[in-house]
Amino acid sequence: MENFEVINPTRIVFGKDQLDRLPILLKDQNVKNILLVYGGGSVKKIGLLDKVLKKLVDFELTEFPGVEANPEYDTLIKGAELAKEKNIDFILAIGGGSVIDGVKFMSGAINYKGNPWDVLKRKEGCVFTSAVPFGTILTLPATGSEANSGAVISRKSLKAKLTMGGPLFFPVFSFCDPSLVASLPKRQLANGIIDAFMHTLEQYITYPTENLLQEREAEGILSTLIEVANVVDHPSDYKLASNLMHCATHALNGNLRCGVPTDWTTHMIGHELTALFDIDHARTLAIIAPRLWERKFTDKQEKLTQYGKRVWNLEGTNEEIAREAIQKTEMFFHGLGVSTKLSEYTSEFKGAEVIICDLFSERGWTQMGERKSIDLDDISAIIQSSF
Ligand code: NZQ
Ligand code: ZN
């Protein structure tokens, strides 16, 4: 087994009717002055904002609504300026991955002396060195952002979507209430299942490891997600919703990667497809992953076979099982109403491979994947085969 070191300080408060704990956890942190950040209004529509406000009567509050899906740099800068002006000592994110990611960025940008864009661009010497503490109330199980220290920030005017993170950006706490799943539209539920599924697969479809526990844990999450996928038609079913939420948090809380190789190429290409064509994050993953596994079939065959046998109960020769496992995954996505063809999302797909390869080349991402064997020719071929 490979060596590893892991830490995750985020307190997860899981379950329904847990909001009485909110003021207690905030007082534990000596919080006085809170910036309440949320998105385009779903938190109002589902009555969550009112419930939260009632719990926060003892604190000074400033609201910052309007964080977009794929949170926008310019909006977040305004939020950071407001937080500074109001002397905010804690930020509370209420929403899905976009609001939570946006809050992570704001928490670092608030006291940053330089240009926060340089941090996202990873300009030499430019890093956030402090972060205003924050907590989250999760409304959409998908990204795992509630339990990790990463974020992805978009800047539409530059067609950019960039990652950031580090130990400063773990939420202090996250409330994960599966009953909030009931209000989610089918599109977001399907997205959530696929995003969690792909987070698991990108820490799994590599090569066989000696970390038997991590492999079984990944297979457990995948099997559970398949088992509860009918939550898209029954979002009020608490058993289905709670398992989806539990899986999504576990898929990206740092546990699955302990002592195993990972391949995040699908996510890296996916982020660029969102930046170029505004396609939902999870859908970009559904477009790319099957094509990537086909392109790198030899590298990934052993793990695809293991996945096919253990998660899909397939039979046949190892190669047949590995190929069928790719098809099964694609059919699973189709069954959730998600197309795996780029051309079904945009008619302007031609040339996407050139733009993305140029960007990857600029960033030095020329040897990706668990074996560093995915080069720019592969990236280009994967994107073209997704048309
Ligand atoms: O803006 P509002 O009105 O709140 O509506 C949101 C939004 O339109 C709505 N929604 C959220 N909870 C709801 C709800 N509608 C009804 N009922 C509820 N309970 O859903 C829409 C999508 O929300 P969003 O937060 O954008 O979705 P998601 O959680 O999938 O987050 C996607 C973002 O996270 C990033 C993605 O790149 C993307 O920007 N990711 C973050 C990661 C991380 N930090 O670890 C990892 C992921 O791989 C991903 O890259
Ligand atoms: Zn993702």
Side-chain angles (χ1 to χ4, degrees), residues 120-333:
L120 291 174
K121 290 287 282 178
R122 300 183 188 233
K123 195 168 161 190
E124 211 179 319
C126 298
V127 284
F128 291 139
T129 48
S130 69
V132 172
F134 62 92
T136 88
I137 300 178
L138 177 70
T139 63
L140 197 177
T143 63
S145 186
E146 69 281 4
N148 68 42
S149 61
V152 196
I153 306 304
S154 295
R155 200 166 183 182
K156 265 197 186 140
S157 55
L158 303 180
K159 291 203 183 294
K161 184 163 182 176
L162 301 174
T163 58
M164 58 157 277
L168 291 170
F169 300 102
F170 281 104
V172 175
F173 57 73
S174 285
F175 284 78
C176 301
D177 177 354
S179 62
L180 298 177
V181 166
S183 64
L184 280 166
K186 207 167 174 172
R187 165 174 162 187
Q188 298 304 339
L189 279 162
N191 286 352
I193 294 167
I194 292 173
D195 198 19
F197 206 76
M198 283 308 310
H199 292 157
T200 310
L201 285 173
E202 292 201 71
Q203 299 172 89
Y204 176 86
I205 301 287
T206 52
Y207 48 75
T209 73
E210 292 180 1
N211 198 329
L212 308 182
L213 176 63
Q214 242 60 26
E215 300 206 348
R216 293 277 183 195
E217 284 192 359
E219 290 152 5
I221 293 175
L222 297 167
S223 301
T224 308
L225 285 169
I226 293 166
E227 193 175 335
V228 303
N230 60 339
V231 71
V232 294
D233 295 317
H234 307 281
S236 305
D237 183 321
Y238 192 78
K239 178 181 163 193
L240 301 178
S242 53
N243 278 288
L244 167 59
M245 197 169 258
H246 199 28
C247 282
T249 297
H250 269 265
L252 205 57
N253 66 0
N255 175 46
L256 287 184
R257 69 171 163 74
C258 292
V260 300
T262 58
D263 172 12
W264 291 103
T265 310
T266 296
H267 261 75
M268 292 306 114
I269 300 175
H271 287 161
E272 299 313 327
L273 293 180
T274 300
L276 287 173
F277 305 119
D278 212 13
I279 303 170
D280 289 356
H281 169 64
R283 287 159 199 249
T284 66
L285 310 176
I287 292 167
I288 294 301
R291 305 293 80 83
L292 185 147
W293 298 327
E294 282 165 1
R295 173 80 184 182
K296 303 309 286 183
F297 188 76
T298 312
D299 283 358
K300 295 184 182 285
Q301 184 180 340
E302 279 181 274
K303 256 343 236 305
L304 282 166
T305 304
Q306 181 177 322
Y307 163 60
K309 283 183 183 166
R310 292 189 183 173
V311 175
W312 293 108
N313 303 313
L314 301 177
E315 290 174 3
T317 66
N318 284 347
E319 183 174 345
E320 282 165 0
I321 292 173
R323 294 212 184 271
E324 203 182 333
I326 300 175
Q327 285 167 13
K328 280 274 183 193
T329 311
E330 211 165 346
M331 279 158 54
F332 178 54
F333 297 159

Side-chain angles (χ1 to χ4, degrees), residues 29 31 88-92 103 107 131-135 168 170 172:
Q29 299 287 317
V31 170
I88 291 300
D89 58 17
F90 195 88
I91 314 178
L92 185 59
V103 162
S107 81
V132 172
F134 62 92
L168 291 170
F170 281 104
V172 175

